Amino acid sequence: MYRVKVCGITHRGKLRDRNEDALLLNDMVVQEEVMTSPLCFEREGDHLIFAVADGLGGHAAGEMASRFALQTLMELRPKGSEDIIRALHKARDRLEEFARENAYAYGLGTALAGLVLSDEGTFVFNVGDCRVYGLEDEKIQRLTVDHTEVERLVRLGYISEEEAKTHPNRHLLTSALIGSPSFEEFEVHIGKANSYKSFLICSDGLWEATQDYELFLSPSELLLLALKRGGRDNISILRVDLV
């Protein structure tokens, strides 16, 4: 049995015309243009799921893609690695089906990252450049792997983590859920994180604007910090604490 305190907030940012992010808070999907205060509550159960999805900017119906993907996860409620992969493939298929029926939405897509708490363990997962961090004492650990061109360059040692934040190709994804027959395959990162009691799930609009040591701040404080530093992208934050 898990008991958690969760706080989530999402914001359009200062430069984007609309918010294409969405939040999954176990049994509800939240999608708002601007939230001025976080939605916080406690949940108890033996199977909980939380996630952030970032609809692809510049693609048709990005806000629909993020919402559809999280609704699929909420409905299927994966418990372990194989379930997560099946749920993500179902979400991608749903995007393709919607695009076939609505020509304007062809190519809609999303990145996402999430956390599953179940009797099989604690799992983190992502597709694209949304992230999950583990927070323990004074240490921050990124638990997911970005599927981006700059992540590849960092891993090869060509650029640093800090340089990646401002690299001109930092938004070039190598994996995402895309509603198109041309992009059926995607890469998923899944890991176990049983040793952590606190997690931060976020879109790139947050982590690009902050330093790792600042991620201990509350969701409200993190949002204000990201906005103060330009708010160039949609910003979504979920903080999950086991209590």
Side-chain angles (χ1 to χ4, degrees), residues 82-99:
E82 293 183 3
D83 285 351
I84 291 169
I85 291 173
R86 280 194 292 266
L88 292 173
H89 277 277
K90 180 66 176 179
R92 199 220 68 85
D93 291 345
R94 184 177 180 185
L95 296 183
E96 183 179 347
E97 181 181 357
F98 183 82

Side-chain angles (χ1 to χ4, degrees), residues 15-55:
L15 300 183
R16 298 286 188 174
D17 293 332
R18 62 187 185 276
N19 192 352
E20 296 179 313
D21 287 3
L23 308 174
L24 170 57
L25 296 93
N26 189 51
D27 51 4
M28 71 177 85
V29 173
V30 176
Q31 192 166 49
E32 300 283 349
E33 284 298 311
V34 172
M35 291 176 66
T36 57
S37 60
L39 178 62
C40 298
F41 54 83
E42 291 191 3
R43 279 288 187 276
E44 192 174 89
D46 56 9
H47 186 192
L48 304 171
I49 181 168
F50 306 95
V52 166
D54 178 359

Side-chain angles (χ1 to χ4, degrees), residues 36-210:
T36 57
S37 60
L39 178 62
C40 298
F41 54 83
E42 291 191 3
R43 279 288 187 276
E44 192 174 89
D46 56 9
H47 186 192
L48 304 171
I49 181 168
F50 306 95
V52 166
D54 178 359
L56 301 186
H59 290 248
E63 68 275 13
M64 293 183 180
S66 60
R67 185 171 69 252
F68 289 169
L70 294 188
Q71 286 174 340
T72 303
L73 288 174
M74 182 177 66
E75 292 163 4
L76 296 182
R77 304 193 64 78
K79 297 182 69 175
S81 298
E82 293 183 3
D83 285 351
I84 291 169
I85 291 173
R86 280 194 292 266
L88 292 173
H89 277 277
K90 180 66 176 179
R92 199 220 68 85
D93 291 345
R94 184 177 180 185
L95 296 183
E96 183 179 347
E97 181 181 357
F98 183 82
R100 283 200 305 267
E101 296 173 354
N102 300 273
Y104 72 90
Y106 185 83
L108 80 167
T110 188
L112 54 80
L115 168 71
V116 170
L117 304 167
S118 75
D119 56 8
E120 294 188 24
T122 300
F123 296 86
V124 297
F125 63 91
N126 80 295
V127 178
D129 58 356
C130 293
R131 292 180 175 180
V132 182
Y133 292 87
L135 289 67
E136 185 176 13
D137 298 326
E138 297 181 358
K139 297 179 181 179
I140 298 278
Q141 181 67 44
R142 176 156 51 115
L143 304 178
T144 50
V145 176
D146 293 348
H147 301 122
T148 63
E149 177 61 20
V150 293
E151 178 83 354
R152 186 184 71 85
L153 295 176
V154 168
R155 291 185 175 277
L156 289 173
Y158 294 139
I159 62 174
S160 68
E161 288 273 4
E162 196 58 34
E163 289 172 327
K165 290 187 175 183
T166 56
H167 194 280
N169 291 333
R170 64 187 181 278
H171 297 299
L172 183 59
L173 298 183
T174 57
S175 183
L177 303 185
I178 305 290
S180 164
S182 302
F183 297 96
E184 290 187 0
E185 296 302 320
F186 54 88
E187 184 178 0
V188 184
H189 172 80
I190 300 176
K192 269 203 167 185
N194 292 338
S195 63
Y196 291 92
K197 301 299 182 184
S198 294
F199 300 88
L200 184 78
I201 312 170
C202 63
S203 59
D204 62 333
L206 177 73
W207 62 257
E208 283 190 346
T210 55

